[in-house]
Structure formats: C-alpha cells, structure tokens
Amino acid sequence: MMDVNTSAISDFILVNLFGPSGSHKLLFSLVAAMFIAGLLGNAILLFLIRVDSRLHTPMYFLLSQLSLFDVGFPLVTIPKMASDFLQGESSISFGGCAAQMFFLMVIGVAEGVLLALMSYDRYVAVCYPLQYPVLMRHQVCLLMVGSSWMVAVVNACVQTSITLHFPYCASHIVDHFFCEMPALLKLSCADTSAYELALTATGVLILVLPLSLIATSYGQVLKAVLHMRSVEARNKAFATCSSHITVVGLFYGAAVFMYMVPSAYHSPHQDNMVSLFYSLITPTLNPLIYSLRNRDVRMALVKVLGGVGVKPQWWPREETLR
C-alpha cells in the first residue's frame, strides 16, 4: 500500500484558546479590542509616514514596512480564531492550514530580517551621519526590503512544502490555535526527527544571524555614543535607537523561546501564550512604542489633527530626532 497523506482529504481541528465561561468571554473581548487597536495604530502610523514629508526618510520607510508586517501577522491568525469562537467550531481545511502556515513564516522571517537591517540603518545614522544620505539612499532601502521578502518567501516555500509532504494519518487535532509548524509536525505518523533537527538548525541560523548583526550594530552605536562630548547629542542618539531596541527585544524574545528552546522545556499551553504574544500583543505595541517615544511621529500626528481642526492642549516644539 502506498503511504497516503490523508490530510489532503480531511480537515485539521484547532484548539480554541477560549471556552464558554464568562472569564473566557472577557478574555476574547480583550483580544478583539487589542486586534482592532493594533490594526488602527499601524494604519495611522502608515498614514502619517505617507502624508508627512518630514517622515520621508530611510528610517521611516523601513518602519512603514514593519507596520505592514504588524498588520499582516494578526490578520492571518486572529480573525480565524474569533470566527471559531463565535461559531463554536475550530476546523480548518488542509489548504487553509497550508496558507496560514506559509504566510506566518513569510511575515515572521521577513520581520526578523527587517529588524536587523533597521539596526544597520541606526548604526549608519549615528556613526556615519555625513555619509548617511549616500549609504542609505532609496535604492539601498529597496534592496533591504526586497531581500527580507525574498529570504522569507524562499524559506516559507521550502518549509511549508516539506512539512505538508508528511503523512497525517492519525489524530488531526492541532494543539494550537493556528497552524504552526512545530504543532503540526507532532501529528505526523512518519518519522520527522531528522527534519525537526534540520528545522531547529535553520531556525537558529535565521535567528542568530540577524541577532548578530543587531548586536554588532548597536555595539558600535554604543561605542560612538560614549565618545560624544555633547550630552544633548548623546541623548538624541539614545532616543533614536531606544524604540527599535524595545521592538527587537519583544520580537526576538518570543522567537527565541519558540524556536531555540527545545520543545521538552515548554508546554503546548505556554506555546499558545507566546504565539498570542508575538502574533497580537507585539504588533499592537509596536506603533505605540514608535509614536509615544518619537518626536517626529508625534509632531506628524499633531499636524494632521491640527489640519482637521483638532488641536491638542500640548504642541511640540519644532525640533526633530534624526
């Protein structure tokens, strides 16, 4: 008998995070509110970068790509989870599972690479300010974004196709609220140990290389800042980098836990919580981090509000952080 991948003709069953109790309904409402707030926050940030000419710089061009990823991440996972909760069922087709896994890997890897390239942008801005317009010209920014997409798509195509090639002839209950590769591999009735080892090595490579670039870039930034004589210049340099470092910590902290810590050291429930963190909470916090801690974005928002007749009580001074 041929080894048939029976998942091609059968749905998978996802484990819903929320039960019928009142506390779970409250948690669902909180998740829904965060989902809407995240989409709105990233949409506003994208709009401000688009309409304000002062934000037409390499840093904000890269930030706009980060906001696009932060819109995509929750859109791939949260609407399906909400629909399952409201309809009382948690099934997903084989094709739907494949699509969800593919897009999550594309967005996740592309965002990780982009965050590393954004650290290079801050390194050039602080260490080589006079050469910044040349080293970070528009063609270089396009190359950065294109590279992050290319690496992510190639990785997602390879890993999704291999993962779905395994036969799933036993249980189809995925112990996760969306189709994530580690949870899916546990259901295969074939020996996936060699592939899981290769997957771990690939995951470490994908995480370690960007983290190495980030550490190197900010090591050089810190060295340059400590040699600055002007306290104002030092504070400005710290301010331009602090938001990005915060976002890097949120993203890579969850990614390291999921893909570099062996599965024996964390339970499926912990995996669900961490996945909810990086697929919803982090994309919701990112626009707040960049808007509340960045004078350029705050001034752009005030300008837009003033244009529609809504002028806040406070009005920032005309100085910006570059």
Side-chain angles (χ1 to χ4, degrees):
M1 293 291 290
M2 294 180 60
D3 192 14
V4 180
N5 188 346
T6 57
S7 60
I9 58 174
S10 178
D11 294 345
F12 289 105
I13 306 298
L14 301 175
V15 175
N16 206 311
L17 286 178
F18 313 111
S21 66
S23 60
H24 281 137
K25 291 180 180 179
L26 180 62
L27 181 59
F28 171 78
S29 301
L30 179 61
V31 168
M34 291 191 66
F35 172 71
I36 295 172
L39 292 183
L40 185 60
N42 282 292
I44 291 175
L45 190 55
L46 283 167
F47 174 75
L48 293 176
I49 293 173
R50 174 69 178 178
V51 301
D52 196 306
S53 60
R54 291 174 297 184
L55 302 184
H56 294 173
T57 64
M59 183 181 79
Y60 292 106
F61 173 73
L62 297 176
L63 179 57
S64 68
Q65 300 303 306
L66 180 65
S67 291
L68 285 176
F69 294 143
D70 287 340
V71 168
F73 235 132
L75 281 178
V76 175
T77 57
I78 304 303
K80 172 60 180 172
M81 182 180 66
S83 174
D84 291 344
F85 174 77
L86 295 174
Q87 296 179 8
E89 60 179 45
S90 301
S91 64
I92 184 171
S93 67
F94 181 77
C97 190
Q100 195 175 59
M101 187 163 50
F102 173 80
F103 286 114
L104 284 173
M105 278 193 286
V106 168
I107 296 171
V109 173
E111 182 166 340
V113 174
L114 182 68
L115 286 172
L117 296 175
M118 289 175 72
S119 71
Y120 171 77
D121 168 78
R122 293 298 83 204
Y123 159 70
V124 175
V126 174
C127 299
Y128 300 98
L130 298 180
Q131 290 84 14
Y132 184 79
V134 176
L135 294 176
M136 290 300 299
R137 58 190 181 275
H138 189 61
Q139 292 86 344
V140 175
C141 294
L142 291 177
L143 181 61
M144 286 182 168
V145 173
S147 299
S148 65
W149 277 104
M150 183 180 67
V151 170
V153 169
V154 170
N155 175 75
C157 286
V158 172
Q159 295 198 9
T160 302
S161 60
I162 294 177
T163 300
L164 297 178
H165 177 73
F166 289 110
Y168 295 92
C169 48
S171 173
H172 281 212
I173 300 177
V174 182
D175 200 1
H176 212 290
F177 68 93
F178 60 81
C179 285
E180 193 165 35
M181 188 183 303
L184 206 61
L185 286 174
K186 294 178 181 178
L187 304 181
S188 176
C189 50
D191 181 14
T192 62
S193 57
Y195 176 59
E196 289 186 52
L197 182 61
L199 186 63
T200 301
T202 303
V204 170
L205 185 66
I206 291 175
L207 289 173
V208 168
L209 286 180
L211 279 173
S212 300
L213 177 58
I214 292 170
T216 301
S217 297
Y218 280 113
Q220 294 299 315
V221 168
L222 180 61
K223 182 179 178 181
V225 168
L226 292 178
H227 284 83
M228 291 180 179
R229 296 183 178 180
S230 170
V231 176
E232 182 180 356
R234 187 180 303 173
N235 292 336
K236 182 179 290 188
F238 274 125
T240 60
C241 300
S242 60
S243 296
H244 182 250
I245 293 175
T246 303
V247 172
V248 166
L250 291 173
F251 179 85
Y252 276 99
V256 167
F257 178 85
M258 285 295 297
Y259 294 101
M260 291 184 67
V261 177
S263 59
Y265 294 95
H266 46 90
S267 65
H269 177 71
Q270 290 174 322
D271 290 344
N272 276 314
M273 292 299 101
V274 173
S275 297
L276 184 65
F277 181 85
Y278 71 70
S279 65
L280 176 65
I281 299 176
T282 299
T284 302
L285 292 177
N286 284 352
L288 294 176
I289 293 170
Y290 275 105
S291 61
L292 295 178
R293 305 182 68 177
N294 190 299
R295 185 179 295 275
D296 287 349
V297 176
R298 296 202 307 269
M299 291 183 65
L301 179 60
V302 168
K303 181 180 178 181
V304 170
L305 292 177
V308 296
V310 180
K311 183 176 180 179
Q313 296 297 319
W314 56 273
W315 194 274
R317 291 173 296 173
E318 288 296 324
E319 58 184 76
T320 58
L321 300 173
R322 296 296 179 191

